[in-house]
């Protein structure tokens, strides 16, 4: 039986308790450790998907080492699972979808985005994520997802939010879509076994699924906003306050990594072999996201609006100025 990550609401309940009811001066964020050579060892919570390739590439190219940072990447199922790790001090930084960060903030969790992570490439039918269905499925478009079961990596995050928007835009009723949690790497098998009707997949799961005959019927990111800021790297408010120098160096190194990955897509693809198990054929066919160095504010505002429409934030509104400053 697959091990499930707790739902986002339960996770965030734990976070608030750990974070001292949202106090930014709590002990969250951890303390960086320095080696005898002056290098600071930094743990980063990531999702092992193509989106984080710049981080591994930047480490390989020495962008972090030149700033005295030695990275240790730790994998998780999704951003909702990484947030409590950052707040409790398990990680110094984390990679999370922007919707999960907004949900955390409105619940009083002291998190701060520090640098962009990944964005939609804007290509409907060829984006970095898509909703896939078996080749013989009767589902032909996003409208047909109403009344069906759709897999997402974690519930109540950017996946189901943008899938709902695709369904809505296609004329379907998004409230009739049933979402279930399945890790990205298990989604192709879940489709093949008939456990779900459709799956919202990222790379490399999407390319693996396509090789099995899966068809893409929606591109939720690009259909929501072609410049959608999908995810960012973040830290706790406590660490940002205690060690702004480390945050600045990390931000600079990630920015350089994003620029390099954008200019060298073949190297970005190749670095995936260091943290995923993919074949050469899959590697060549992978769809890459956009890696801009700045967040796209209008797209974040649209996500916040969609989150409110879907009831993710209760009666509160995310403070984008604070979260993505």
């Amino acid at each position: 039986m697959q091990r499930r990550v707790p739902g986002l609401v339960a996770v965030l309940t734990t976070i608030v308790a750990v974070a001292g009811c949202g106090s930014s001066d709590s002990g969250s964020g951890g303390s960086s450790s320095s080696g005898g050579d002056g290098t600071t060892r930094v743990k980063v919570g990531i999702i092992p998907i193509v989106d984080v390739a710049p981080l591994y590439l930047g480490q390989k190219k020495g962008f972090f080492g030149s700033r005295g940072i030695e990275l240790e990447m730790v994998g998780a199922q999704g951003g909702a699972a990484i947030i409590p790790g950052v707040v409790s001090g398990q990680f110094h930084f984390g990679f999370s979808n922007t919707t999960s960060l907004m949900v955390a903030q409105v619940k009083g969790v002291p998190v701060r985005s520090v640098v962009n992570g990944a964005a939609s490439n804007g290509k409907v039918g060829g984006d970095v994520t898509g909703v896939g269905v078996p080749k013989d499925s009767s589902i032909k478009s996003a409208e047909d997802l109403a009344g069906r079961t759709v897999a997402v990596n974690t519930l109540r995050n950017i996946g189901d939010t943008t899938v709902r928007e695709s369904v809505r835009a296609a004329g379907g009723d998004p409230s009739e879509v049933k979402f279930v949690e399945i890790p990205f790497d298990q989604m192709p098998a879940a489709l093949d076994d008939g456990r779900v009707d459709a799956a919202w997949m990222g790379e490399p799961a999407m390319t693996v699924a396509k090789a099995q005959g899966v068809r893409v019927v929606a591109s939720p990111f690009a259909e929501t906003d072609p410049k959608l800021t999908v995810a960012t790297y973040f830290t706790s408010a406590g660490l940002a306050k205690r060690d702004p120098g480390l945050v600045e160096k990390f931000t600079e190194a990630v920015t350089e990594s994003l620029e390099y990955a954008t200019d060298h897509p073949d190297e970005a693809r190749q670095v995936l072999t260091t943290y995923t198990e993919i074949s050469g054929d899959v590697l060549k066919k992978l769809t890459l996201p956009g890696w801009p160095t700045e967040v796209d504010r209008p797209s974040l505002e649209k996500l916040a609006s969609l989150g409110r429409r879907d009831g993710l934030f209760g009666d509160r509104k995310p403070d984008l100025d604070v979260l993505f400053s």
Side-chain angles (χ1 to χ4, degrees):
M1 183 177 297
Q2 78 179 49
R3 181 174 62 85
R4 291 171 57 87
V5 172
L8 182 56
V9 173
V11 170
L12 291 176
T13 299
T14 303
I15 298 174
V16 172
V18 170
C21 298
S23 169
S24 62
D25 293 323
S26 70
S28 63
S31 299
S32 55
S33 58
S34 297
D37 58 357
T39 299
T40 302
R41 296 182 178 85
V42 172
K43 287 188 177 182
V44 186
I46 57 94
I47 311 168
I49 54 178
V50 67
D51 303 51
V52 298
L55 200 66
Y56 287 85
L57 189 55
Q59 181 186 43
K60 180 180 179 181
K61 292 296 178 179
F63 302 153
F64 292 90
S66 66
R67 292 173 172 87
I69 295 176
E70 179 184 335
L71 290 182
E72 177 184 349
M73 271 73 86
V74 182
Q77 182 168 323
I82 293 170
I83 291 171
V86 170
V87 174
S88 67
Q90 179 184 358
F91 310 130
H92 299 92
F93 299 93
F95 177 87
S96 174
N97 73 83
T98 46
T99 294
S100 288
L101 290 174
M102 293 180 197
V103 172
Q105 190 203 49
V106 297
K107 290 184 175 292
V109 181
V111 290
R112 299 287 184 274
S113 172
V114 297
V115 63
N116 199 27
S120 168
N121 65 25
K123 300 175 183 176
V124 174
D127 204 358
V128 69
T129 69
V131 178
V133 300
K135 59 183 177 181
D136 57 353
S137 171
S138 61
I139 299 173
K140 305 300 181 184
S141 71
E143 181 181 9
D144 300 330
L145 295 173
R148 305 300 184 102
T149 299
V150 180
V152 292
N153 64 322
T154 55
L155 296 172
R156 297 173 64 83
N157 76 2
I158 198 169
D160 43 22
T161 293
T162 55
V163 169
R164 286 191 187 95
E165 179 63 4
S166 287
V167 173
R168 185 181 293 118
D173 184 351
S175 68
E176 294 183 359
V177 181
K178 179 182 178 181
F179 293 98
V180 296
E181 281 188 10
I182 296 178
F184 281 130
D185 61 357
Q186 296 179 25
M187 288 184 186
L191 282 173
D192 191 53
D193 295 343
R195 283 179 279 152
V196 293
D197 298 310
W200 172 73
M201 291 176 282
E203 291 285 21
M206 177 58 77
T207 296
V208 171
K210 284 180 179 179
Q212 299 173 354
V214 165
R215 294 183 289 109
V216 176
V217 297
S219 300
F221 286 171
E223 290 164 356
T224 297
D225 191 310
K227 295 183 179 180
L228 185 68
T229 293
V230 173
T232 65
Y233 293 94
F234 70 100
T235 191
S236 68
L239 179 61
K241 182 178 180 179
R242 287 195 308 276
D243 201 342
L246 176 61
V247 174
E248 181 178 4
K249 290 177 182 178
F250 179 82
T251 299
E252 290 175 352
V254 172
T255 298
E256 188 173 3
S257 300
L258 294 171
E259 292 173 340
Y260 190 88
T262 299
D263 294 338
H264 301 82
D266 290 341
E267 290 185 50
R269 291 175 188 276
Q270 190 60 41
V271 81
L272 263 79
T273 62
T274 65
Y275 65 96
T276 65
E277 296 181 2
I278 56 176
S279 68
D281 289 341
V282 171
L283 193 67
K284 295 176 183 178
K285 297 177 181 178
L286 282 174
T287 298
L288 299 180
W291 285 308
T293 58
E294 302 292 335
V295 300
D296 183 79
R297 179 60 180 254
S299 74
L300 292 174
E301 292 172 349
K302 184 167 187 178
L303 273 182
S305 177
L306 291 174
R308 294 189 73 187
R309 184 172 186 172
D310 290 338
L312 295 183
F313 309 134
D315 58 358
R316 299 186 64 185
K317 182 180 179 180
D319 189 337
L320 302 185
D321 291 330
V322 172
L323 184 56
F324 298 102
S325 59

Short mmCIF file of all heavy atoms in Angstrom, two decimals, residues 82-137:
data_model
loop_
_atom_site.label_atom_id
_atom_site.label_comp_id
_atom_site.label_asym_id
_atom_site.label_seq_id
_atom_site.Cartn_x
_atom_site.Cartn_y
_atom_site.Cartn_z
N ILE A 82 6.69 19.83 2.27
CA ILE A 82 7.98 20.48 2.51
C ILE A 82 7.83 21.65 3.49
O ILE A 82 8.74 21.92 4.29
CB ILE A 82 8.58 20.97 1.18
CG1 ILE A 82 8.95 19.75 0.31
CG2 ILE A 82 9.82 21.84 1.41
CD1 ILE A 82 9.34 20.11 -1.11
N ILE A 83 6.70 22.33 3.45
CA ILE A 83 6.50 23.51 4.29
C ILE A 83 6.74 23.22 5.78
O ILE A 83 7.49 23.95 6.43
CB ILE A 83 5.10 24.11 4.06
CG1 ILE A 83 5.05 24.74 2.65
CG2 ILE A 83 4.78 25.18 5.11
CD1 ILE A 83 3.66 25.18 2.23
N PRO A 84 6.14 22.16 6.36
CA PRO A 84 6.41 21.91 7.78
C PRO A 84 7.87 21.61 8.06
O PRO A 84 8.38 21.91 9.14
CB PRO A 84 5.51 20.73 8.12
CG PRO A 84 5.19 20.10 6.82
CD PRO A 84 5.15 21.21 5.83
N GLY A 85 8.58 21.02 7.08
CA GLY A 85 10.00 20.73 7.27
C GLY A 85 10.82 22.00 7.37
O GLY A 85 11.78 22.08 8.15
N VAL A 86 10.45 23.01 6.59
CA VAL A 86 11.16 24.29 6.66
C VAL A 86 10.85 25.00 7.96
O VAL A 86 11.74 25.53 8.63
CB VAL A 86 10.78 25.18 5.45
CG1 VAL A 86 11.32 26.60 5.62
CG2 VAL A 86 11.32 24.58 4.16
N VAL A 87 9.59 25.03 8.34
CA VAL A 87 9.19 25.76 9.54
C VAL A 87 9.75 25.11 10.81
O VAL A 87 10.14 25.80 11.76
CB VAL A 87 7.64 25.85 9.63
CG1 VAL A 87 7.20 26.47 10.94
CG2 VAL A 87 7.11 26.67 8.46
N SER A 88 9.86 23.78 10.81
CA SER A 88 10.37 23.08 12.00
C SER A 88 11.88 23.07 12.07
O SER A 88 12.44 22.72 13.11
CB SER A 88 9.85 21.65 12.02
OG SER A 88 10.41 20.89 10.95
N GLY A 89 12.55 23.44 10.97
CA GLY A 89 14.00 23.46 10.98
C GLY A 89 14.64 22.25 10.35
O GLY A 89 15.87 22.13 10.34
N GLN A 90 13.85 21.33 9.81
CA GLN A 90 14.41 20.17 9.12
C GLN A 90 15.16 20.61 7.87
O GLN A 90 16.19 20.05 7.51
CB GLN A 90 13.30 19.19 8.74
CG GLN A 90 13.78 17.96 7.99
CD GLN A 90 12.64 17.06 7.55
OE1 GLN A 90 11.47 17.34 7.83
NE2 GLN A 90 12.96 16.00 6.85
N PHE A 91 14.60 21.62 7.18
CA PHE A 91 15.24 22.21 5.99
C PHE A 91 15.48 23.69 6.23
O PHE A 91 14.71 24.35 6.92
CB PHE A 91 14.34 22.06 4.76
CG PHE A 91 13.80 20.68 4.51
CD1 PHE A 91 12.45 20.49 4.29
CD2 PHE A 91 14.64 19.58 4.49
CE1 PHE A 91 11.93 19.23 4.05
CE2 PHE A 91 14.14 18.31 4.26
CZ PHE A 91 12.78 18.13 4.05
N HIS A 92 16.51 24.23 5.60
CA HIS A 92 16.74 25.67 5.64
C HIS A 92 15.88 26.38 4.60
O HIS A 92 15.39 27.48 4.83
CB HIS A 92 18.22 25.98 5.38
CG HIS A 92 19.14 25.37 6.39
ND1 HIS A 92 19.72 24.13 6.21
CD2 HIS A 92 19.55 25.82 7.59
CE1 HIS A 92 20.47 23.84 7.27
NE2 HIS A 92 20.39 24.86 8.12
N PHE A 93 15.74 25.72 3.44
CA PHE A 93 14.93 26.25 2.35
C PHE A 93 14.09 25.12 1.79
O PHE A 93 14.39 23.95 2.00
CB PHE A 93 15.81 26.85 1.24
CG PHE A 93 16.68 27.99 1.69
CD1 PHE A 93 18.00 27.75 2.11
CD2 PHE A 93 16.20 29.29 1.70
CE1 PHE A 93 18.80 28.80 2.54
CE2 PHE A 93 17.01 30.35 2.12
CZ PHE A 93 18.30 30.10 2.55
N GLY A 94 13.06 25.49 1.04
CA GLY A 94 12.22 24.48 0.42
C GLY A 94 11.71 24.96 -0.92
O GLY A 94 11.75 26.16 -1.23
N PHE A 95 11.24 24.01 -1.72
CA PHE A 95 10.64 24.29 -3.02
C PHE A 95 9.17 23.95 -2.91
O PHE A 95 8.81 22.84 -2.54
CB PHE A 95 11.32 23.43 -4.08
CG PHE A 95 10.75 23.57 -5.48
CD1 PHE A 95 11.22 24.56 -6.34
CD2 PHE A 95 9.77 22.71 -5.94
CE1 PHE A 95 10.73 24.68 -7.62
CE2 PHE A 95 9.27 22.82 -7.23
CZ PHE A 95 9.74 23.81 -8.07
N SER A 96 8.30 24.92 -3.20
CA SER A 96 6.87 24.66 -3.06
C SER A 96 6.08 25.38 -4.14
O SER A 96 6.45 26.48 -4.58
CB SER A 96 6.37 25.12 -1.69
OG SER A 96 4.95 24.99 -1.59
N ASN A 97 4.97 24.77 -4.51
CA ASN A 97 4.06 25.48 -5.40
C ASN A 97 3.50 26.69 -4.68
O ASN A 97 3.39 26.72 -3.45
CB ASN A 97 2.94 24.54 -5.88
CG ASN A 97 1.93 24.24 -4.81
OD1 ASN A 97 0.99 25.01 -4.58
ND2 ASN A 97 2.12 23.12 -4.11
N THR A 98 3.15 27.70 -5.44
CA THR A 98 2.77 28.98 -4.85
C THR A 98 1.42 28.93 -4.14
O THR A 98 1.20 29.67 -3.18
CB THR A 98 2.76 30.07 -5.93
OG1 THR A 98 2.08 29.60 -7.10
CG2 THR A 98 4.19 30.42 -6.32
N THR A 99 0.52 28.05 -4.57
CA THR A 99 -0.76 27.94 -3.89
C THR A 99 -0.58 27.42 -2.47
O THR A 99 -1.19 27.93 -1.52
CB THR A 99 -1.73 27.04 -4.67
OG1 THR A 99 -2.05 27.65 -5.92
CG2 THR A 99 -3.02 26.81 -3.89
N SER A 100 0.25 26.40 -2.30
CA SER A 100 0.50 25.87 -0.95
C SER A 100 1.11 26.92 -0.04
O SER A 100 0.80 26.98 1.16
CB SER A 100 1.42 24.65 -1.03
OG SER A 100 0.74 23.54 -1.57
N LEU A 101 1.98 27.76 -0.58
CA LEU A 101 2.56 28.84 0.22
C LEU A 101 1.49 29.85 0.65
O LEU A 101 1.50 30.35 1.78
CB LEU A 101 3.67 29.54 -0.56
CG LEU A 101 4.96 28.74 -0.77
CD1 LEU A 101 5.92 29.51 -1.68
CD2 LEU A 101 5.63 28.41 0.55
N MET A 102 0.56 30.14 -0.25
CA MET A 102 -0.52 31.05 0.10
C MET A 102 -1.42 30.46 1.18
O MET A 102 -1.81 31.15 2.14
CB MET A 102 -1.37 31.36 -1.15
CG MET A 102 -0.66 32.17 -2.21
SD MET A 102 -1.77 32.47 -3.63
CE MET A 102 -0.59 32.95 -4.89
N VAL A 103 -1.74 29.18 1.06
CA VAL A 103 -2.56 28.51 2.07
C VAL A 103 -1.86 28.55 3.43
O VAL A 103 -2.48 28.82 4.47
CB VAL A 103 -2.85 27.05 1.67
CG1 VAL A 103 -3.55 26.31 2.81
CG2 VAL A 103 -3.73 27.01 0.42
N ALA A 104 -0.56 28.30 3.43
CA ALA A 104 0.20 28.34 4.67
C ALA A 104 0.16 29.72 5.30
O ALA A 104 -0.05 29.87 6.51
CB ALA A 104 1.65 27.92 4.41
N GLN A 105 0.35 30.74 4.48
CA GLN A 105 0.39 32.09 5.03
C GLN A 105 -0.91 32.51 5.68
O GLN A 105 -0.92 33.09 6.76
CB GLN A 105 0.76 33.10 3.94
CG GLN A 105 1.05 34.48 4.52
CD GLN A 105 0.86 35.59 3.51
OE1 GLN A 105 -0.14 35.66 2.82
NE2 GLN A 105 1.85 36.45 3.42
N VAL A 106 -2.04 32.22 5.02
CA VAL A 106 -3.32 32.65 5.60
C VAL A 106 -3.62 31.89 6.89
O VAL A 106 -4.45 32.34 7.69
CB VAL A 106 -4.49 32.48 4.60
CG1 VAL A 106 -4.27 33.36 3.38
CG2 VAL A 106 -4.69 31.04 4.20
N LYS A 107 -2.96 30.77 7.11
CA LYS A 107 -3.12 30.03 8.36
C LYS A 107 -2.11 30.46 9.42
O LYS A 107 -1.99 29.83 10.46
CB LYS A 107 -3.02 28.53 8.10
CG LYS A 107 -4.22 27.98 7.33
CD LYS A 107 -4.13 26.48 7.18
CE LYS A 107 -5.40 25.94 6.51
NZ LYS A 107 -6.60 26.06 7.35
N GLY A 108 -1.36 31.52 9.14
CA GLY A 108 -0.44 32.06 10.13
C GLY A 108 0.91 31.40 10.16
O GLY A 108 1.69 31.60 11.10
N VAL A 109 1.24 30.63 9.13
CA VAL A 109 2.54 29.95 9.08
C VAL A 109 3.60 30.94 8.58
O VAL A 109 3.43 31.55 7.53
CB VAL A 109 2.48 28.71 8.17
CG1 VAL A 109 3.83 28.00 8.16
CG2 VAL A 109 1.39 27.77 8.64
N PRO A 110 4.70 31.12 9.32
CA PRO A 110 5.70 32.14 8.98
C PRO A 110 6.67 31.73 7.88
O PRO A 110 7.80 31.31 8.13
CB PRO A 110 6.44 32.34 10.30
CG PRO A 110 6.38 30.99 10.96
CD PRO A 110 5.04 30.43 10.59
N VAL A 111 6.22 31.82 6.63
CA VAL A 111 7.07 31.48 5.49
C VAL A 111 7.27 32.70 4.61
O VAL A 111 6.42 33.60 4.56
CB VAL A 111 6.47 30.32 4.67
CG1 VAL A 111 6.54 29.02 5.43
CG2 VAL A 111 5.02 30.63 4.26
N ARG A 112 8.42 32.73 3.91
CA ARG A 112 8.75 33.82 3.01
C ARG A 112 9.38 33.24 1.74
O ARG A 112 10.37 32.51 1.82
CB ARG A 112 9.74 34.80 3.65
CG ARG A 112 9.26 35.50 4.90
CD ARG A 112 8.22 36.57 4.59
NE ARG A 112 7.85 37.29 5.80
CZ ARG A 112 6.90 36.90 6.65
NH1 ARG A 112 6.25 35.76 6.43
NH2 ARG A 112 6.61 37.62 7.72
N SER A 113 8.82 33.57 0.59
CA SER A 113 9.45 33.20 -0.67
C SER A 113 10.69 34.06 -0.86
O SER A 113 10.67 35.26 -0.58
CB SER A 113 8.46 33.44 -1.83
OG SER A 113 9.08 33.27 -3.07
N VAL A 114 11.78 33.44 -1.34
CA VAL A 114 13.02 34.20 -1.48
C VAL A 114 13.50 34.32 -2.93
O VAL A 114 14.26 35.23 -3.26
CB VAL A 114 14.15 33.59 -0.62
CG1 VAL A 114 13.78 33.66 0.86
CG2 VAL A 114 14.46 32.15 -1.02
N VAL A 115 13.06 33.39 -3.81
CA VAL A 115 13.51 33.45 -5.20
C VAL A 115 12.61 32.55 -6.03
O VAL A 115 12.03 31.58 -5.53
CB VAL A 115 14.99 33.01 -5.34
CG1 VAL A 115 15.18 31.56 -4.94
CG2 VAL A 115 15.53 33.26 -6.75
N ASN A 116 12.46 32.90 -7.30
CA ASN A 116 11.59 32.12 -8.18
C ASN A 116 12.10 30.69 -8.33
O ASN A 116 13.29 30.42 -8.18
CB ASN A 116 11.49 32.80 -9.55
CG ASN A 116 10.28 32.34 -10.33
OD1 ASN A 116 9.28 31.93 -9.74
ND2 ASN A 116 10.35 32.40 -11.64
N GLY A 117 11.18 29.79 -8.68
CA GLY A 117 11.55 28.39 -8.86
C GLY A 117 11.27 27.88 -10.25
O GLY A 117 12.16 27.41 -10.95
N ALA A 118 10.01 27.96 -10.69
CA ALA A 118 9.63 27.46 -12.01
C ALA A 118 8.34 28.13 -12.46
O ALA A 118 7.56 28.61 -11.64
CB ALA A 118 9.46 25.95 -11.98
N ALA A 119 8.13 28.12 -13.77
CA ALA A 119 6.94 28.73 -14.35
C ALA A 119 6.43 27.88 -15.50
O ALA A 119 7.14 27.01 -16.02
CB ALA A 119 7.26 30.15 -14.85
N SER A 120 5.19 28.11 -15.89
CA SER A 120 4.66 27.48 -17.09
C SER A 120 5.48 27.93 -18.29
O SER A 120 5.97 29.06 -18.34
CB SER A 120 3.19 27.91 -17.28
OG SER A 120 2.73 27.53 -18.56
N ASN A 121 5.61 27.04 -19.28
CA ASN A 121 6.27 27.47 -20.51
C ASN A 121 5.26 28.09 -21.48
O ASN A 121 5.62 28.52 -22.57
CB ASN A 121 7.04 26.32 -21.17
CG ASN A 121 6.14 25.19 -21.66
OD1 ASN A 121 4.96 25.37 -21.95
ND2 ASN A 121 6.71 23.99 -21.77
N GLY A 122 3.99 28.11 -21.07
CA GLY A 122 2.95 28.78 -21.84
C GLY A 122 2.39 28.01 -23.02
O GLY A 122 1.55 28.54 -23.76
N LYS A 123 2.79 26.76 -23.22
CA LYS A 123 2.37 25.99 -24.40
C LYS A 123 1.24 25.03 -24.06
O LYS A 123 1.44 24.02 -23.40
CB LYS A 123 3.56 25.20 -24.96
CG LYS A 123 4.74 26.05 -25.38
CD LYS A 123 5.92 25.18 -25.82
CE LYS A 123 7.13 26.03 -26.19
NZ LYS A 123 8.30 25.19 -26.53
N VAL A 124 0.04 25.36 -24.51
CA VAL A 124 -1.10 24.46 -24.34
C VAL A 124 -0.84 23.21 -25.17
O VAL A 124 -0.55 23.29 -26.36
CB VAL A 124 -2.41 25.14 -24.78
CG1 VAL A 124 -3.57 24.14 -24.74
CG2 VAL A 124 -2.71 26.34 -23.89
N GLY A 125 -0.93 22.05 -24.53
CA GLY A 125 -0.62 20.79 -25.19
C GLY A 125 0.83 20.39 -25.10
O GLY A 125 1.19 19.27 -25.46
N GLY A 126 1.67 21.29 -24.59
CA GLY A 126 3.10 20.99 -24.48
C GLY A 126 3.74 21.65 -23.29
O GLY A 126 4.91 22.03 -23.34
N ASP A 127 2.97 21.80 -22.20
CA ASP A 127 3.51 22.43 -21.00
C ASP A 127 4.19 21.39 -20.12
O ASP A 127 4.13 20.19 -20.38
CB ASP A 127 2.38 23.13 -20.23
CG ASP A 127 2.88 24.26 -19.34
OD1 ASP A 127 4.11 24.48 -19.28
OD2 ASP A 127 2.05 24.92 -18.69
N VAL A 128 4.81 21.86 -19.06
CA VAL A 128 5.57 20.97 -18.18
C VAL A 128 4.66 20.06 -17.36
O VAL A 128 5.10 19.03 -16.85
CB VAL A 128 6.50 21.78 -17.25
CG1 VAL A 128 5.68 22.56 -16.22
CG2 VAL A 128 7.53 20.89 -16.58
N THR A 129 3.39 20.41 -17.19
CA THR A 129 2.42 19.50 -16.60
C THR A 129 1.22 19.40 -17.52
O THR A 129 0.97 20.27 -18.36
CB THR A 129 1.92 19.97 -15.21
OG1 THR A 129 1.10 21.14 -15.37
CG2 THR A 129 3.06 20.22 -14.26
N GLY A 130 0.48 18.32 -17.36
CA GLY A 130 -0.73 18.15 -18.15
C GLY A 130 -1.61 17.08 -17.52
O GLY A 130 -1.16 16.32 -16.67
N VAL A 131 -2.85 17.06 -17.93
CA VAL A 131 -3.76 16.01 -17.47
C VAL A 131 -3.78 14.92 -18.53
O VAL A 131 -4.15 15.16 -19.69
CB VAL A 131 -5.19 16.56 -17.26
CG1 VAL A 131 -6.12 15.41 -16.84
CG2 VAL A 131 -5.19 17.64 -16.20
N GLY A 132 -3.35 13.73 -18.13
CA GLY A 132 -3.28 12.62 -19.05
C GLY A 132 -4.37 11.60 -18.81
O GLY A 132 -4.81 11.40 -17.66
N VAL A 133 -4.83 10.95 -19.88
CA VAL A 133 -5.85 9.90 -19.78
C VAL A 133 -5.39 8.71 -20.63
O VAL A 133 -4.60 8.88 -21.57
CB VAL A 133 -7.22 10.39 -20.28
CG1 VAL A 133 -7.70 11.57 -19.44
CG2 VAL A 133 -7.18 10.77 -21.76
N PRO A 134 -5.88 7.51 -20.33
CA PRO A 134 -5.52 6.35 -21.16
C PRO A 134 -5.94 6.57 -22.61
O PRO A 134 -6.91 7.29 -22.90
CB PRO A 134 -6.31 5.21 -20.51
CG PRO A 134 -6.50 5.65 -19.09
CD PRO A 134 -6.69 7.13 -19.16
N LYS A 135 -5.23 5.96 -23.53
CA LYS A 135 -5.48 6.20 -24.95
C LYS A 135 -6.88 5.83 -25.39
O LYS A 135 -7.43 6.42 -26.33
CB LYS A 135 -4.45 5.45 -25.80
CG LYS A 135 -4.44 3.93 -25.61
CD LYS A 135 -3.35 3.29 -26.44
CE LYS A 135 -3.27 1.78 -26.21
NZ LYS A 135 -2.17 1.16 -27.01
N ASP A 136 -7.52 4.86 -24.70
CA ASP A 136 -8.87 4.45 -25.08
C ASP A 136 -9.95 5.11 -24.22
O ASP A 136 -11.12 4.72 -24.25
CB ASP A 136 -9.01 2.93 -24.99
CG ASP A 136 -8.68 2.39 -23.59
OD1 ASP A 136 -8.22 3.18 -22.74
OD2 ASP A 136 -8.88 1.18 -23.36
N SER A 137 -9.58 6.13 -23.45
CA SER A 137 -10.54 6.82 -22.58
C SER A 137 -11.55 7.61 -23.40
O SER A 137 -11.25 8.14 -24.47
CB SER A 137 -9.79 7.76 -21.63
OG SER A 137 -10.69 8.58 -20.91
#
